[in-house]
Structure formats: structure tokens, C-alpha cells
Amino acid sequence: MIKCPDCGEEASDDAKFCNRCGRGLDSSSAPVQSSVTRPEPLASGTILKDKFEIIELLAGNSIENRYRARRVGAEPQAAVILRERLGPQPAADADTQVESSDAVTAPLTSTEDGAKANAPGDAEDPNGPRAKTAELKPIAAPTAPPEAADPPAQDAEDEVTSGETPSEPATSEAAVSSEPAASSEPVAGAEVNAAEPTPNGAAPAPVVTQPEAQGAGAKPEAPQDLHERLEEIAQDDVGEVFGRVMALSMTLTHPAFQRAEAAFANNGRVYLVYADEALAPMAAPPIGEPEAITAAIQVCQAISFVHRRGLRLNDICPQSVAISGSGRIKLTGLDYVSNDNELAGDLVFNDGYTAPEIYRGKQTDKRADIFSAGALLYTWLTGERLESESWREEAGPVRFYPPHVITPELEQAILRAIQFEPSARWATIDDFKTELTRLLGQFRVRIAALTDVGMVRDHNEDAIMVLDYLRDSLVAPDQNHLCVVCDGMGGAEAGEVAAAIAVGTIRDYVEKRLAGAETVDPGKLMNGALEEANSKILEYVVAHPESRGMGSTGVTALITPIAAAVAWVGDSRGYLLEGGSLRQVTKDHSLVQRLVDIGQITPAEARTHEHKNVITRSLGARASGPAGAESVPVRLKRGDKMLLCSDGLTTHVEDKDVEAILRRHRDPYEAARELIAAANAGGGTDNISVIVIQAS
């Protein structure tokens, strides 16, 4: 029997993959033992080296514990997060050490005695194709004189432990016993002597702490520079994994990574120190396209930062992505970072997200991270993961439609990222990010329309309409959005008829002209639509004399991103919320508005004037001639909101309150619902109709 080194699940000797977590298994996997690999959790109040006091145990898995802790005596006493594992133990002897190391990996280039050769290119470029992430781990200061010849480079699983000279045999983690020492448990509440020797017998050394963050314009530190700097730092031997994470935390200064601040060993255990950040998981998928693309672009930026340093992340899945308190994406953990030529001793298998070539044991490069980023975006959009059960032989199915409908261009971008063969994917993560950025930059419109009878009337004479004319084509995409609010009048249900005639006529008029090949001016088009509605209402009155006196006001908007045209007749209004400030873009055709224009009354007095409901223009008011429709052009930007409404809203809700409601809601439907509730709360003496248009 063998044990999965990630989750501890037992499997048969011939098993290739862990049934629980999907990690690949081979003969190098740790054999099942009665001993545990996870340290016994420490009690609250335990004092560790450098005055770290355990506050509480947060979580644990088969190999490590996570605590919330604080540094005693520090001001202010900010909480930190500690990761704890068993520390490296000395091998029984050198022969056992070498044998165990060979069982894990083989050198990329070997001499006759099995030692890795120092290729000339390695000396010239420590971050080149033969570099290993293990070389980034913090190591002890060299004890040999500066002029001494460099020792042979070591494999990923071999490391120079604290207190050893470079010429001494390295301690392999594969040879370390996972049995914790009986005397290694600190007593709760007792302070551990900081001068106590480390488990391998070396003298203790200061905790390695992270340097100050580099300025925004500072050039990122190259890995070889980091390696040189680390050689000057004396520190505890914190093991292969924690040492590598600490070293990467010191050089990967991108804000998207959760980085360790310090590392230390204490009484047979090793620790990483993190800031106690408020990290939350991503919203449960599926999430909207703009939100998903925005998050994916941040992930791509972090991946690109790593790729430019000759490394790849490997561990990209929903569980490794969180949201910080500032709303930024955070990638948690640097445990599995490697370069393209490092042997796969520390690979992680995230079913549905790890690239197929890793399952197949093929040569892997940075395009594996591109696959993982695409698979992650697929999950955010659909709520499902890619089926990976067949990836060792062939590609699995990828389902979008049905049941998931996304824009065609976004679907094509994701499908290219998750191609089974790496050569068919995006060439670089920056190419994928550029395409996502382009798609995010496309103008999108969300519209909500609601109408309500109010608190007094027994029937609704308003009519509203929203139509989307979308050609979501990869060849010639196009979009137009038509919004109409008509407020009928005339009594005896004549107002309902007038509003219905107006809405139907405007729709037919606009559809016919949008379908033509000629280019139309939106303002002239909407003016013409209102005038055509006026003519149709007059024709109806001639045919039905009993409906004499019927009519309707109307306000319309035709949105052809990023331009829009608003046209109106009467006192139905159009507003624009721009930069958080609301302004009325229409001008009422009413008696009180004329009095305001000539200075006889103020806008505040117009709200309570005895003739405030008298309008001077409407559809069907004149027996002949035009209705007198007007139009204004409007330019929309991302984040802007438009409002079309009947006077049933503006009679009871002041403009400042309309502005507050529109600003308060990101969802146009929620804004529309509160606007109607506010009008009803103010009296609801008329029918209320609103259309809220949000640009994103």
C-alpha cells in the first residue's frame, strides 16, 4: 500500500492516481506507515520562537496545521497566520540519503557517478532552462572561502541544510521520517527557548523576514539576484517546501500573491508567517460575464508575472483563488511553482484544471497555466468543471450550449485556452489576457422595465416596451436597444388605446428602418417614430369618433452603443446619471415649464403649481400637423445609467431622491423596483412606469 503525499489517502501499490484528490502516484510515493505526517496541534497560549503566541487552530490537513497567532510584546499586536509542518530530520547515513533521493528524481544531466553536471549555460543564466525552483530556497551562508570552487549543483530533492558545508551530503526530504519526536511538543503557555539547537544540530539563527515592498516603478528582483542575497542570510532550515515558498515570497512581489512574511524552525517543526488578511472565496458560480472576465484578467496578470521570471504556477483552481478586502484577486499558495524543465516531483493534480499533458506525463511548459486559467474561467461562467477522467488518453467533452449561453467571442477565447494539445492554445498568457481585455472593453447594456397602476387608479393607461436588436456575430456584430414609455390619457380606456397605438407604431417604424441597408440618424429616426405614432392615433380618432380627446405622452431612447438618442413629446422624462450626478436630458412640454423658462416661477414652485398637469404637446392632441417631438443625442460611458419615466414617478419622487436610488443599486431591476415603491409611498396618484438602462 502507498499513501498519497497530498491528502494521505491509501491506495494499492499499482495505483496511478489518488482516488480522493487526483494526484499522480508512483513508487516514490510515501509508503503507508503507522506514524503521522501532521504535527499534533499546539494548544492556545503556546509561545513559539521569536515570541509568537498561538491564539487558535484554524484548520489542518494530513500534513500541516494553520493557526491564528500574535507576536507577544509587538506594537500593535496584529494577528498573523502560521502554517506549521514537521521539520526536516537528518538522514540515517549518507548512503541512505543518496538512495532515497535517487528514488524521487533523476538528474537532468548526469556525469558517470550520477552527480548533475554544471553546464556552462547554468553558470551564465541561473534562471535559464536548467534552473530549478529549489535553487531559490533560502540556504545557509557558505562556509567555504570565496575563492573555493563551487560544489556540484544539486537536484530538486537535494538541499544543503543549515549548518552543513556545501561539500557535505545534502539531507533529502524523501529520507526524512515522519514520526514526530516524543519530546518535541511545547508545553501550553510555556516559552520555548529560542537558543535551543535546531533538530539537525545546527546553531539557531534569526528568522528570515520579507524585505520592504518594492516601489511601483522598481524593477522586479531577478531570481539569481535573490539567490545571491539569500546566501548572505543565516536562517533556520525550514525544509524544501517552506524554504521555496519563503524564497518565492521574497521575489514574487506582485500584489495578487499571498506571500509569506517570515519563516522559522521551532522544536522540530517549521513555520511560515502570513499577514492575517481578510480573504473570502469567489462568489459561487455561475457569475456574470463582466465579473468573470475581470477576475480572469487579474489571474492572467499574476500568471504573466511568474512566467516572465522563467517559472510557472501549476496550482490554479477555484480553491486557490480568493478575494481580498480591497476586492483584488489573491492567489493563495506558492507550494507548486516550478520551471518548465524541473522534474515532476511536486506536481499537484486538480481535476478539471490541471493541464492534460501533466496527466499524460508529457513535456510541460507554461501553456499548462494557460489551460488552467481557461478552465477556471469556464467554471466561473458555467458552475461546472471540465471532465478530466479521459485526459490520459483523449480530450474530454466541453459543453457550453446547451445549457450555458455565453457570447460567441468569449466562448472561442476559452475554447482556444483549453485545447487538449498545447500547440493549439494561446501562445502566451499575455495573448489570452489581451483577448479577454478586448472582450471586456465591449459595450454592454442591461435594461429593466416596470409599470404599476399606482395607489389610486383602477386601471393602467401607461404602456412600456423594451426591444433588443442584437446581431451577436463573429463576422458583423451589432446591437441596438429600443426603449419606450407612453402615458395615455383621455378617459374611458381611451388612454390605454392611445398608448398601445403609440408603442406599436414606434416599434414597427424603427424595425423597418433598422432592417434597411442605409445608415440612419438615431435622433431623426426617433423623431420620425413619434410623429408616425401621432398620425396613427389621429387616424384612429377619425375612425372612432367616440374616442375623441384621446392622446398620449411619450419618451423613447434608441441606444446604439456608445451613442444614444432620446426623443419625447409631453412631460414623460429622460434622465442621465453620469459620474454619480443626475441630470434631466428632456424638457417638459408643459405650462409650468414654460412659466419657469420665462422666469415667472421657480422649478421648486412648479412642483406644486395648480396647473402642473397641463401639457402643451402630446401625441394626438392636434387635429392636423406634427406633434412637435424633440430629440437630444446622449453619449453613454461605462457606469452611466439612463432613466425613462412617466410623470407618475416625478410627481411624487424628487430628482435628488431619484439620483440616490439609482446610485444605490448596481442591478437596474432593483433600482426600477425601488423607484416604483418610492412613488407609491409618496401617494401613487397616477400610473407609474420606469425603464432603467445601465451601461457596462
Side-chain angles (χ1 to χ4, degrees), residues 352-364:
Y353 307 98
T354 299
E357 58 267 27
I358 297 178
Y359 282 87
R360 301 163 69 195
K362 302 292 185 180
Q363 178 67 40
T364 305

Side-chain angles (χ1 to χ4, degrees), residues 106-350:
L108 294 178
T109 305
S110 300
T111 59
E112 292 182 357
D113 61 358
K116 180 180 174 183
N118 282 325
D122 294 342
E124 295 174 3
D125 183 9
N127 194 38
R130 296 181 183 276
K132 291 175 177 286
T133 50
E135 295 171 359
L136 289 176
K137 68 178 295 297
I139 61 176
T143 58
E147 64 272 13
D150 292 336
Q154 300 182 349
D155 293 339
E157 296 297 321
D158 294 335
E159 54 181 306
V160 178
T161 56
S162 177
E164 296 174 335
T165 63
S167 61
E168 293 176 341
T171 301
S172 168
E173 287 192 47
V176 173
S177 169
S178 59
E179 183 69 29
S183 62
S184 64
E185 282 295 322
V187 179
E191 180 176 343
V192 177
N193 187 355
E196 185 177 358
T198 54
N200 61 1
V207 173
V208 176
T209 56
Q210 187 172 294
E212 296 183 3
Q214 299 177 3
K219 180 181 178 182
E221 183 179 29
Q224 57 266 38
D225 298 333
L226 170 71
H227 188 69
E228 294 170 0
R229 202 177 78 211
L230 288 173
E231 290 179 345
E232 302 173 358
I233 300 175
Q235 67 152 68
D236 295 343
D237 177 15
V238 294
E240 162 73 22
V241 176
F242 278 14
R244 177 172 56 189
V245 172
M246 187 64 231
L248 290 167
S249 296
M250 296 172 70
T251 189
L252 298 182
T253 56
H254 195 283
F257 294 106
Q258 184 188 34
R259 299 156 57 213
E261 297 180 343
F264 65 94
N266 187 99
N267 206 21
R269 308 183 184 203
V270 293
Y271 297 86
L272 285 176
V273 183
Y274 294 85
D276 189 12
E277 299 179 87
L279 299 181
M282 285 283 292
I287 58 179
E289 286 188 21
E291 294 82 2
I293 295 175
T294 300
I297 289 174
Q298 291 190 50
V299 171
C300 289
Q301 289 171 337
I303 296 172
S304 176
F305 185 86
V306 173
H307 285 187
R308 290 196 301 272
R309 283 147 182 81
L311 306 171
R312 67 171 190 268
L313 280 176
N314 296 313
D315 186 17
I316 303 170
C317 64
Q319 290 72 32
S320 66
V321 179
I323 302 292
S324 69
S326 62
R328 284 195 61 95
I329 289 291
K330 279 280 189 179
L331 300 184
T332 59
L334 298 170
D335 295 18
Y336 298 98
V337 174
S338 69
N339 68 23
D340 294 342
N341 290 295
E342 187 166 12
L343 299 183
D346 281 336
L347 285 181
V348 59
F349 288 86
N350 299 309

Side-chain angles (χ1 to χ4, degrees), residues 329-406:
I329 289 291
K330 279 280 189 179
L331 300 184
T332 59
L334 298 170
D335 295 18
Y336 298 98
V337 174
S338 69
N339 68 23
D340 294 342
N341 290 295
E342 187 166 12
L343 299 183
D346 281 336
L347 285 181
V348 59
F349 288 86
N350 299 309
D351 285 346
Y353 307 98
T354 299
E357 58 267 27
I358 297 178
Y359 282 87
R360 301 163 69 195
K362 302 292 185 180
Q363 178 67 40
T364 305
D365 59 23
K366 296 175 180 61
R367 287 172 293 186
D369 283 349
I370 298 175
F371 181 96
S372 298
L376 183 66
L377 181 53
Y378 175 87
T379 293
W380 285 341
L381 291 168
T382 66
E384 298 181 358
R385 70 166 178 85
L386 297 174
E387 295 184 13
S388 59
E389 286 69 20
S390 65
W391 283 357
R392 277 186 286 174
E393 290 81 24
E394 60 184 1
V398 179
R399 287 184 294 269
F400 278 108
Y401 177 82
H404 312 294
V405 179
I406 66 174

Side-chain angles (χ1 to χ4, degrees), residues 434-483:
T434 299
E435 178 64 8
L436 293 178
T437 303
R438 185 186 72 81
L439 295 175
L440 185 64
Q442 292 182 342
F443 196 89
R444 301 176 190 275
V445 174
R446 299 172 63 197
I447 302 173
L450 291 176
T451 185
D452 189 82
V453 70
M455 305 296 290
V456 176
R457 304 287 181 91
D458 59 0
H459 65 284
N460 195 342
E461 293 185 326
D462 287 358
I464 61 176
M465 179 182 66
V466 175
L467 288 176
D468 297 326
Y469 303 93
L470 301 177
R471 186 166 62 239
D472 210 355
S473 166
L474 296 175
V475 178
D478 192 20
Q479 59 174 314
N480 293 278
H481 307 271
L482 174 64
C483 303

